[in-house]
């Protein structure tokens, strides 16, 4: 996924929004799967506008710009959503460390694996807590955001179990 498509998707779903509005949407919805800094988002909005995928529909005080997705932007978003193979990212820094565990003491190997499992348990707990704070509506971002959250919790539980078994094996 790219920041470009995340911004296009939020504009397609929510309609016109300022950079600040989009940043708040990122912080409230995508932060756990695709975080973006303010500078990254504003840079991407400039590129999207230059490419004709969004347009500025209003300008306000202090240079505030309100953006809206264009028809070209909707076509690009649909192309990425439907036609581009969503191949998973193969880079996993934690698995690289597991691969190289033979370079540290056996006790450190087990401790690393157990700490990974514990970290994942904490992250699942944090997601459970976050889930209770979110005002889940009937809109698409809530519906599909909740599905993504469920996937994240299940994935972390599975990965945590794997780390426990690996620690027992080492």
């Amino acid at each position: 996924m790219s920041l470009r498509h995340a911004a296009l998707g939020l504009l397609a779903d929510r309609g016109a929004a300022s950079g600040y509005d989009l940043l708040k949407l990122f912080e409230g919805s995508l932060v756990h799967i695709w975080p973006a800094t303010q500078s990254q988002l504003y840079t991407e909005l400039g590129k999207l506008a230059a490419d004709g995928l969004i347009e500025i529909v209003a300008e306000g005080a202090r240079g505030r710009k309100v953006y809206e997705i264009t028809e070209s932007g909707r076509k690009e978003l649909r192309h990425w959503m439907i036609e581009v193979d969503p191949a998973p990212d193969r880079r996993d820094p934690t698995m690289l460390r597991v691969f190289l565990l033979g370079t540290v003491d056996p006790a450190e190997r087990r401790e690393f694996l157990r700490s990974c499992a514990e970290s994942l348990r904490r992250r699942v707990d944090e997601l459970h807590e976050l889930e209770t704070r979110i005002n889940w509506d009937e809109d698409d971002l809530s519906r599909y955001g909740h599905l993504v959250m469920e996937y994240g919790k299940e994935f972390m539980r599975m990965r945590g179990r794997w780390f426990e078994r690996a620690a027992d094996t080492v």
Side-chain angles (χ1 to χ4, degrees), residues 11 15-23 41-42 45 64-67:
L11 284 170
S18 69
Y20 177 81
D21 296 333
L22 288 173
L23 185 61
L41 180 59
Y42 280 80
L45 289 172
R64 182 180 189 267
K65 296 175 183 168
V66 176
Y67 300 92

Side-chain angles (χ1 to χ4, degrees), residues 1-125:
M1 186 172 116
S2 70
L3 179 56
R4 164 177 288 252
H5 295 102
L8 285 173
L10 289 175
L11 284 170
D13 187 77
R14 294 295 172 150
S18 69
Y20 177 81
D21 296 333
L22 288 173
L23 185 61
K24 292 302 166 196
L25 280 171
F26 265 90
E27 290 171 354
S29 61
L30 293 174
V31 70
H32 295 287
I33 57 169
W34 202 263
T37 65
Q38 181 178 357
S39 63
Q40 290 170 324
L41 180 59
Y42 280 80
T43 299
E44 192 58 47
L45 289 172
K47 292 176 185 177
L48 288 166
D51 292 344
L53 301 176
I54 63 173
E55 62 186 353
I56 299 168
V57 294
E59 292 193 51
R62 298 182 311 263
R64 182 180 189 267
K65 296 175 183 168
V66 176
Y67 300 92
E68 197 169 81
I69 192 169
T70 63
E71 189 56 37
S72 294
R74 288 184 187 282
K75 286 179 183 175
E76 168 59 24
L77 178 61
R78 185 190 178 288
H79 167 73
W80 178 79
M81 292 283 301
I82 304 300
E83 299 169 13
V84 175
D85 180 18
D89 187 356
R90 296 187 329 213
R91 291 183 179 182
D92 186 333
T94 306
M95 286 297 116
L96 177 58
R97 288 180 176 123
V98 170
F99 186 80
L100 299 172
L101 274 178
T103 64
V104 298
D105 293 333
E108 291 174 315
R109 297 171 197 170
R110 284 186 295 280
E111 178 55 33
F112 171 77
L113 294 166
R114 293 205 193 287
S115 71
C116 287
E118 179 57 31
S119 175
L120 288 163
R121 276 192 292 278
R122 282 193 310 271
R123 289 181 66 198
V124 169
D125 290 344

